[in-house]
Amino acid sequence: YCISLYQILLTYFQNIQLYKYCFLSKRVVANNAASNSIFFEGTFIGKSYINTATTKDTLDLSLGRDNDIVIEIKRIKDFCKASVVGPNKTETIGIQIEVKNKKNKPITIKIKDQVPVSNNKSIQVEVLEKSGASHGANTGFLEWDRQIDAGASKTLIFKYEVKFPKGKRINL
């Protein structure tokens, strides 16, 4: 059984909180227990054995880091500010994520970052901008699914503000 990753859609995954680089993964249907040869862009990268008796109906293959996808993350100084109004302090944070595709073909990428979440009623977090990301209100996760053309880049921006009593210390 041969899995050729050159001919099927690959997904690039990037979790900003954990890594500053991009990982390549592929979900395949696990229908036969077999030994597999794995090829990427025409090059043999390894062998694997899929035992379908111990897996779900699909299998996520992690294919390692891809240095042709460059991620740059920075705070946007023009959006980062702090102010005090009455008994509360407000801090606004702006983050820019730039994803560059240095490959000679388009990619699909899933990018994940997170805004703070508060369980304390005196600390309020509001997402001001999220560049079309889905937002999990309970987890704070922001997730983008994007197509990036060969040689192109995409910029994602998100902003949030945190209001809290001015006597509290919060690391943002």
Side-chain angles (χ1 to χ4, degrees), residues 30-36 48-56 58-59:
N31 53 8
N32 295 18
S35 178
N36 301 287
S48 176
Y49 181 81
I50 298 175
N51 183 354
T52 55
T54 61
T55 61
K56 299 184 259 182
T58 59
L59 180 67

Side-chain angles (χ1 to χ4, degrees), residues 76-126:
I76 307 169
K77 292 180 183 173
D78 294 343
F79 296 133
C80 296
K81 60 183 177 184
S83 62
V84 177
V85 178
N88 291 324
K89 183 174 183 179
T90 301
E91 288 196 33
T92 306
I93 306 290
I95 304 289
Q96 176 179 306
I97 303 168
E98 185 173 3
V99 183
K100 296 177 187 173
N101 177 10
K102 297 183 350 184
K103 293 186 161 300
N104 60 2
K105 61 185 176 188
I107 63 163
T108 300
I109 186 167
K110 182 181 295 264
I111 300 165
K112 194 172 187 180
D113 206 329
Q114 188 174 29
V115 296
V117 175
S118 174
N119 294 324
N120 184 333
K121 292 188 187 283
S122 68
I123 302 171
Q124 300 171 350
V125 179
E126 180 181 357

